[in-house]
Amino acid sequence: MTDILYPILGGLCIGLSASIYLLATGKIMGISGLLSQALFGPPGMNTKWLPLIFLVGTVVGGASYGVLTHQTVPFPDPRSPLLLITSGLLVGYGTRLGSGCTSGHGVCGISRGSIRSLTATAIFMVTAILTVMITK
C-alpha cells in the first residue's frame, strides 16, 4: 500500500506547493527560474528570499524524507568532475534555451494549459527516450 501512497502524496505536495507559490508570488514554480531569481534577482522578499527559502525547503524536505523513511539511494559509478561540470552547464543552457526546466514546464505549464509547455515537455520526453535507447 505504501508503494502507491508515497508517490501520490508526493505529487499532491508538489501540486500544492506550486499552487501556493503561484498565489503568493504570481510566478511559476520552476527550479531553474527559482535558482535564477535567488542568485541573480534584485534584493527583496518576493524577488530573492522567497525563491531561496523554497529551494532550501526542497533540499531539506527531500533529505528529511530520506532520513525519516530510511531510504537508501545507490550511487552510480564515480564520474569525472569535468563531465559533471560540462553536463551541469549544458543543462543550465538548455533551461534558458527552453525558457524553463522540466519541472516548470511539466508540472506548472501543462497544468495551466500552456501549449508551449506541452510542446517542451513532449520534446524533453522524446529526447530522454532517444538518449536512453542510444546509450543503453
Side-chain angles (χ1 to χ4, degrees), residues 12-97:
L12 290 172
C13 287
I14 290 171
L16 181 63
S17 65
S19 298
I20 290 170
Y21 191 82
L22 181 62
L23 291 172
T25 66
K27 297 182 185 247
I28 296 169
M29 179 196 79
I31 297 302
S32 64
L34 290 169
L35 186 59
S36 177
Q37 289 172 31
L39 294 176
F40 307 114
M45 185 59 177
N46 286 339
T47 58
K48 191 166 193 122
W49 296 109
L50 194 55
L52 185 61
I53 291 168
F54 191 94
L55 291 168
V56 168
T58 301
V59 172
V60 170
S64 299
Y65 173 80
V67 169
L68 294 173
T69 61
H70 307 291
Q71 297 290 315
T72 57
V73 177
F75 285 96
D77 296 331
R79 302 283 189 234
S80 156
L82 180 60
L83 176 66
L84 293 174
I85 291 168
T86 303
S87 300
L89 290 172
L90 286 171
V91 168
Y93 175 73
T95 60
R96 282 291 169 207
L97 185 65

